[in-house]
Amino acid sequence: MVEKIAEDIYIKSIHFKIYNTKNLFFKKNRLLLKKELLETQELVRKLIINLHSDLNYSNEYLKIALFMDKSLSDCIIILTSKSKNYRETVRRYIWGFHNLPRAFLKSDSGFKISPNKALEYYKPYLKLD
């Protein structure tokens, strides 16, 4: 079940790449993105629940799932608060997010990576120049 949920999150997060700093200027697009982020967050929370009952995953996986939930919450707050440079910050969060669910994909998937690699690949997106 964990792998299926992760695959759904991965597919949704790839779709986030349609949003960029230009189209986030429009309220309609921000509302659509917020809806997608909330849907993805529900999937992440479902993933967390399933991780608690699946003994095949270490605490390292739970930590990354909790980090995913926090990242989505942070992104939603930034998107709705519209603070300085919010469009660029949101773009970075969502464009790199797809790396996180890769840690949970099936082992025979060419996209699967370790939890450490997932964080390593995602964290540079969070830094603003």
Side-chain angles (χ1 to χ4, degrees):
M1 187 69 157
V2 168
E3 293 169 342
K4 174 63 178 131
I5 297 168
E7 184 179 332
D8 292 345
I9 295 168
Y10 180 70
I11 291 167
K12 284 181 107 22
S13 63
I14 290 294
H15 182 261
F16 292 160
K17 291 189 178 234
I18 66 165
Y19 298 100
N20 58 43
T21 55
K22 289 181 183 174
N23 63 22
L24 286 176
F25 183 74
F26 300 101
K27 184 176 182 177
K28 175 185 80 167
N29 292 333
R30 290 192 309 271
L31 291 173
L32 283 171
L33 175 58
K34 182 179 177 184
K35 180 180 180 278
E36 290 184 42
L37 290 170
L38 288 167
E39 290 170 357
T40 304
Q41 191 169 41
E42 281 302 311
L43 285 172
V44 169
R45 290 177 177 170
K46 190 175 174 181
L47 177 74
I48 292 167
I49 290 167
N50 280 271
L51 283 170
H52 284 294
S53 61
D54 192 329
L55 301 176
N56 294 320
Y57 295 91
S58 67
N59 279 342
E60 189 176 23
Y61 287 92
L62 181 58
K63 285 179 185 177
I64 197 167
L66 292 169
F67 179 76
M68 290 166 64
D69 185 53
K70 182 182 180 328
S71 292
L72 289 169
S73 292
D74 291 348
C75 190
I76 292 166
I77 290 167
I78 293 164
L79 180 65
T80 55
S81 70
K82 293 176 26 176
S83 57
K84 185 178 177 181
N85 297 325
Y86 79 94
R87 289 180 291 143
E88 177 61 20
T89 304
V90 167
R91 183 197 64 81
R92 286 178 178 254
Y93 268 77
I94 62 176
W95 279 29
F97 187 82
H98 72 280
N99 288 302
L100 297 173
R102 291 175 63 191
F104 300 94
L105 296 177
K106 293 180 181 175
S107 57
D108 62 352
S109 169
F111 296 107
K112 181 169 177 62
I113 55 177
S114 71
N116 287 338
K117 283 287 183 196
L119 287 171
E120 182 182 322
Y121 292 167
Y122 180 58
K123 286 196 175 180
Y125 284 95
L126 301 181
K127 295 178 183 162
L128 289 173
D129 299 322

